[in-house]
Amino acid sequence: MSVLKPLLGISHALIYTIAFVLCSSCGVGMPDKESQRDSIASIRIDRFDQLQYRYVTTCDYSALQQMSLLYPTETRTLIEDVLGIGRATDLNINATLLQFYQDSIMQQVSRDAELQYEDMSDVEHSLRSSFTTLHKLFPDLPLPSFYAQIGALQQSVIVNDTRIGICLEKYLGADYPLYIRFYTASQRAMMNRAFIVGDCLCFYLLSRYGLSMFDTREQWERDMYIAKIQWVANRCLSTPLYKSEELKHVEKYMRHYHNITAQELVVSDNLSALRDIK
């Protein structure tokens, strides 16, 4: 099974569109603010990827058992939504999962991802800092939890309610040889470690504050909506990452209407006001 075909023509804008298929937002109780602060301080990344790597490289059945027992939702999401290779309950799904990662490309990116991300403490630190700021801007937004996985070179971050999965194979660096073969320079610039936290912020906000009728909107509306999300992400990061012409409009709008909160900006459907700001 080759993963080359899905790689071709995947743009960063399309990745954001895919998020609306994979992200779901269910009603949950809002934790109190003290609990939120405690949870932010304890943010860590669950290393689902390490069990996954053990299974697909050594056929270690105990690793598969731990995947199913410790991470049942993550395993099901990987099989059904990320890889799309069947149902988690299918009789031969374990063999199918193993076969998928026997692809030479997936073997290589899996090895490289595990080597490069053996230590993710710096990412965890940045997640704590950025989500502390996000909590100040959106005090009622539930705090998500995080895990790492090795996907199929399509999605960067996936969101299932308040659970965020980071696909490590999409953050191996702008000069990673495989990326050079299939992605443009502008796409590759965002496929490095520095963008993990920003993308977590963006995809989580996308899942919580989706644009109504996104699929039928004009392209300028989609772009302006994504720019609003990226503006919030930039506010939460120690160093702003995202740049675009649409983002400049949002920045100008927020300077002009400085009393508007980040939450009011995101929930507003008045995209033409952003586009037409002088």
Side-chain angles (χ1 to χ4, degrees), residues 130-131 134 197-206 229 233 236-237:
S130 62
F131 276 83
L134 185 68
V197 175
D199 285 350
C200 285
L201 289 163
C202 287
F203 280 97
Y204 189 50
L205 288 167
L206 282 167
I229 298 295
C236 296
L237 296 165

Side-chain angles (χ1 to χ4, degrees), residues 6-277:
L7 280 170
L8 301 177
I10 299 259
S11 67
H12 200 77
L14 178 57
I15 289 172
Y16 278 115
T17 304
I18 292 172
F20 286 91
V21 178
L22 292 180
C23 295
S24 63
S25 179
C26 307
V28 295
M30 297 298 181
D32 60 71
K33 293 183 179 180
E34 184 175 347
S35 174
Q36 280 276 49
R37 286 193 296 270
D38 292 342
S39 297
I40 289 172
S42 63
I43 280 178
R44 64 184 180 89
I45 299 171
D46 292 328
R47 298 308 302 264
F48 173 70
D49 64 296
Q50 293 177 341
L51 290 174
Q52 180 188 355
Y53 181 69
R54 234 173 74 201
Y55 174 60
V56 301
T57 57
T58 67
C59 304
D60 185 344
Y61 186 68
S62 67
L64 178 64
Q65 287 181 313
Q66 290 181 66
M67 286 171 61
S68 300
L69 290 173
L70 301 178
Y71 301 103
T73 301
E74 292 81 356
T75 302
R76 184 177 67 251
T77 300
L78 174 70
I79 290 169
E80 298 180 0
D81 299 327
V82 178
L83 305 183
I85 56 175
R87 304 288 296 176
T89 54
D90 289 349
L91 185 62
N92 296 317
I93 196 61
N94 296 337
T96 304
L97 176 64
L98 193 61
Q99 181 185 7
F100 181 91
Y101 284 100
Q102 296 310 302
D103 178 278
S104 59
I105 290 178
M106 292 310 305
Q107 285 281 306
Q108 184 64 53
V109 298
S110 297
R111 285 193 296 269
D112 293 340
E114 289 307 293
L115 180 63
Q116 190 172 143
Y117 287 97
E118 181 179 3
D119 180 7
M120 297 189 71
S121 57
D122 60 319
V123 180
E124 290 175 330
H125 176 78
S126 296
L127 284 170
R128 293 184 198 108
S129 174
S130 62
F131 276 83
T132 294
T133 303
L134 185 68
H135 175 55
K136 293 176 182 176
L137 296 175
F138 297 80
D140 293 328
L141 192 63
L143 183 71
S145 58
F146 305 86
Y147 69 98
Q149 68 176 5
I150 301 168
L153 286 162
Q154 295 191 62
Q155 295 85 30
S156 301
V157 171
I158 62 169
V159 182
N160 186 357
D161 194 13
T162 59
R163 189 71 164 151
I164 296 179
I166 302 164
C167 299
L168 299 180
E169 83 285 357
K170 288 299 296 290
Y171 295 101
L172 296 178
D175 296 327
Y176 188 63
L178 180 67
Y179 294 170
I180 294 173
R181 291 170 56 191
F182 296 107
Y183 295 95
T184 67
S186 60
Q187 290 170 336
R188 297 198 310 271
M190 305 177 77
M191 298 172 69
N192 62 71
R193 196 181 192 103
F195 275 86
I196 291 178
V197 175
D199 285 350
C200 285
L201 289 163
C202 287
F203 280 97
Y204 189 50
L205 288 167
L206 282 167
S207 74
R208 288 281 157 174
Y209 301 98
L211 179 65
S212 62
M213 302 178 65
F214 183 87
D215 291 336
T216 59
R217 295 274 188 158
E218 294 184 41
Q219 188 60 49
W220 73 265
E221 293 179 292
R222 300 186 192 190
D223 293 341
M224 199 63 69
Y225 167 70
I226 290 171
K228 292 197 302 181
I229 298 295
Q230 291 178 331
W231 181 87
V232 175
N234 278 346
R235 288 284 305 276
C236 296
L237 296 165
S238 57
T239 301
L241 291 175
Y242 301 101
K243 300 176 182 178
S244 69
E245 287 302 312
E246 291 79 14
L247 192 52
K248 291 178 182 178
H249 282 260
V250 178
E251 291 168 348
K252 187 180 296 185
Y253 181 87
M254 293 303 284
R255 284 196 301 268
H256 186 78
Y257 298 102
H258 52 84
N259 290 328
I260 292 179
T261 67
Q263 187 163 0
E264 289 170 339
L265 169 71
V266 169
V267 300
S268 173
D269 200 32
N270 189 6
L271 298 171
S272 60
L274 298 171
R275 181 192 58 180
D276 299 335
I277 189 72

